Amino acid sequence: MPPVFPMLTVLSMFYYMCLRRRARTATRGEMNSRRAIESNTRALPINVEIVQYAKEVLDFSSHYGSENSMSYTMWNLAGIPNVYPSSGDFTQTAVFRTYGTWWDRCPSARLPFKRTPSTFCSQDYVELAFEEPVYPTAVHILETYHPGAVVRILAWEILWSEAPTKVNGPQARQFTPCIKQINFPTNLIRLEVNSSLLDYYTELDAVVLHGVKERPVLSLKTSMIDMNDIDDDEDEEKFACGMDTLNKQFSIVTLREWPTNGYFDKLPYELIQLILSHLTVPDLCRLAQTCKLLYQHCCDPLQYIHLSLQPYWARINDTSLEYLQSRCTLIQWLNLSWTGNRGAISVSGFSRFLKVCGSELVRLELSCGHFLNETCLEVITEMCPNLQELNLSSCDKIPPQAFNHIAKVGSLKRLILYRTKVE
């Protein structure tokens, strides 16, 4: 009987050699493909996401705690979380000054300004600085008690905005809304809050900024696309065609005088004024560019008896005040809260405006106006003899001796000096 085991041994060795050869071939292919991937990867910039907590609290409108304490103050937002993911009332968190609607319903509440845009509902804000400027990809807000107060996230532009919502339950949460992509790096994040729907004070523990150093490619799937990144060639062609058609129409009626303003000429002046009184300030400025009749109505000082520039705090500067100067000669209520910071409004620009528009002022809101100094208070007392309400809350750059000028305003009925250096 022939031996079987040596034959099996030879077959086994041959089969083993085939497997090894196949394995070597596969390994070489994998190595080659891996090298190709690695070489391609090295050729492209690697945009690593940076995660960082707030380094410093730059500015805020109010907080529940004392200026000489760390309990319930905005300064608790700097650094790593102290409480999260725990829920409850902790002194190591940041707490704003109000909640609910009782501040607005009490007998001493101030009357609201007209013409405030419905999209602006912010009551308080806090500005945070981070170590590294990045293109933001996400913002995480760690809320540890009664969440839901944050209504806007900004980085010079609005990254996210929404009306206040009622959150069921006071439990802690990590709030991460879908933010807009911007085309510039930043290390400044601003949160704006509205606590009117809350049953108690909201408490924030930390803010986490996610971002990349290199500008990301904007996704076509997102609904928020920067208009600067859209190719304008097609729009320019359509615009050129439209201009050609319009030129032909003009050539048919060469230099013929346009008809009257239609039914607007038949309306009483007061009725047109009443219609325009429902427009916001930017809408008035746009409408003034349409025709001479509407320009006259939009520039009428009677349209600017009550003027709130707080919703447009990021765009208000000396040029804005100079532009509005001729329209505000009869102004009685003026709200410049949150405006003018970081040099946007100068002392001279503010003084020039009040010298022209301050004689009829009854109410002046200047909350968080860090450009104000002693000269500004002196101008207010000289140029606003009829002033009855003055709000200087969180104007922490005014020296103590400057408040002596306020004593000269004999008609003053309401004075707010929260978070000032008055003695």
Side-chain angles (χ1 to χ4, degrees):
M1 189 173 178
V4 178
F5 293 105
M7 183 62 68
L8 291 175
T9 303
V10 173
L11 291 174
S12 299
M13 290 179 63
F14 179 74
Y15 182 66
Y16 174 71
M17 291 172 64
C18 291
L19 289 178
R20 286 201 61 181
R21 181 173 296 178
R22 179 180 295 180
R24 286 177 183 173
T25 306
T27 304
R28 287 172 186 163
E30 290 175 1
M31 290 177 63
N32 292 335
S33 62
R34 188 180 303 167
R35 286 172 185 161
I37 293 172
E38 288 177 354
S39 63
N40 291 337
T41 305
R42 291 195 194 102
L44 296 173
I46 301 175
N47 216 0
V48 180
E49 187 175 59
I50 299 174
V51 179
Q52 50 186 332
Y53 292 96
K55 176 186 177 183
E56 183 184 1
V57 178
L58 297 179
D59 189 21
F60 56 92
S61 55
S62 76
H63 57 186
Y64 183 80
S66 168
E67 293 294 297
N68 301 320
S69 171
M70 288 297 291
S71 299
Y72 299 120
T73 61
M74 288 297 119
W75 297 301
N76 288 323
L77 276 177
I80 62 174
N82 300 310
V83 176
Y84 187 85
S86 299
S87 298
D89 188 0
F90 291 90
T91 60
Q92 299 94 331
T93 57
V95 182
F96 291 98
R97 197 170 173 226
T98 65
Y99 72 90
T101 58
W102 58 277
W103 284 71
D104 298 325
R105 289 188 284 109
C106 64
S108 60
R110 287 167 292 170
L111 296 174
F113 275 79
K114 300 176 181 178
R115 280 202 169 106
T116 302
S118 58
T119 56
F120 181 80
C121 56
S122 303
Q123 297 174 333
D124 280 293
Y125 73 87
V126 58
E127 290 183 354
L128 305 170
F130 294 80
E131 185 72 32
E132 293 285 337
V134 294
Y135 293 90
T137 56
V139 176
H140 301 292
I141 304 170
L142 306 184
E143 304 171 285
T144 55
Y145 202 43
H146 290 277
V150 178
V151 292
R152 291 213 298 184
I153 303 174
L154 305 97
W156 299 114
E157 286 188 14
I158 297 177
L159 302 182
W160 172 85
S161 178
E162 194 172 284
T165 56
K166 177 77 171 179
V167 177
N168 295 326
Q171 289 76 22
R173 73 169 183 176
Q174 177 178 289
F175 181 52
T176 310
C178 181
I179 64 173
K180 171 188 174 182
Q181 294 184 16
I182 56 178
N183 59 0
F184 58 90
T186 182
N187 64 338
L188 175 65
I189 292 294
R190 176 182 172 118
L191 307 181
E192 294 184 1
V193 303
N194 183 309
S195 304
S196 60
L197 300 183
L198 301 185
D199 297 325
Y200 198 62
Y201 296 98
T202 187
E203 298 190 6
L204 309 179
D205 193 11
V207 177
V208 190
L209 174 62
H210 290 238
V212 292
K213 298 292 288 183
E214 300 291 334
R215 180 180 177 182
V217 179
L218 296 181
S219 172
L220 295 178
K221 295 180 180 180
T222 179
S223 59
M224 301 180 184
I225 300 177
D226 191 345
M227 297 305 294
N228 295 325
D229 293 332
I230 297 178
D231 192 0
D232 296 332
D233 293 342
E234 184 178 351
D235 294 336
E236 289 179 359
E237 292 178 2
K238 293 180 180 178
F239 179 74
C241 296
M243 287 300 296
D244 291 339
T245 306
L246 191 61
N247 289 333
K248 291 178 181 178
Q249 293 177 357
F250 274 120
S251 63
I252 296 174
V253 288
T254 51
L255 299 179
R256 191 177 69 183
E257 192 171 327
W258 287 101
T260 59
N261 296 301
Y263 290 107
F264 269 103
D265 287 336
K266 299 180 180 180
L267 291 176
Y269 190 91
E270 294 78 10
L271 183 56
I272 299 178
Q273 287 289 95
L274 180 62
I275 295 172
L276 299 188
S277 68
H278 296 279
L279 297 179
T280 61
V281 175
D283 290 336
L284 279 178
C285 295
R286 296 186 189 102
L287 189 63
Q289 303 176 44
T290 57
C291 68
K292 291 183 178 179
L293 175 66
L294 293 178
Y295 176 84
Q296 180 183 356
H297 283 281
C298 292
C299 294
D300 193 320
L302 291 174
Q303 288 287 348
Y304 301 87
I305 299 295
H306 294 178
L307 177 62
S308 177
L309 297 177
Q310 182 181 2
Y312 321 107
W313 60 266
R315 291 178 282 172
I316 300 301
N317 51 29
D318 284 349
T319 306
S320 308
L321 295 182
E322 187 175 353
Y323 176 78
L324 292 169
Q325 204 170 92
S326 60
R327 307 184 183 195
C328 296
T329 54
L330 300 177
I331 190 170
Q332 297 177 7
W333 289 15
L334 175 62
N335 186 0
L336 285 173
S337 296
W338 301 6
T339 64
N341 297 332
R342 295 182 175 85
I345 294 180
S346 63
V347 173
S348 57
F350 176 76
S351 302
R352 286 194 301 270
F353 183 82
L354 279 194
K355 286 177 182 178
V356 176
C357 310
S359 59
E360 301 296 324
L361 267 181
V362 175
R363 176 178 173 181
L364 181 58
E365 304 279 343
L366 296 170
S367 174
C368 302
H370 301 309
F371 66 92
L372 296 172
N373 60 9
E374 184 172 2
T375 303
C376 295
L377 290 193
E378 189 175 1
V379 170
I380 290 173
T381 56
E382 291 178 359
M383 300 299 161
C384 308
N386 300 312
L387 197 62
Q388 297 180 11
E389 298 186 28
L390 179 60
N391 182 2
L392 297 173
S393 61
S394 295
C395 295
D396 53 358
K397 300 296 190 295
I398 303 176
Q401 70 274 8
F403 293 96
N404 293 327
H405 294 287
I406 301 177
K408 303 174 185 177
V409 185
S411 57
L412 208 58
K413 297 180 180 180
R414 182 196 295 266
L415 178 62
I416 303 176
L417 299 176
Y418 166 70
R419 290 192 65 232
T420 63
K421 295 178 180 178
V422 65
E423 296 176 352

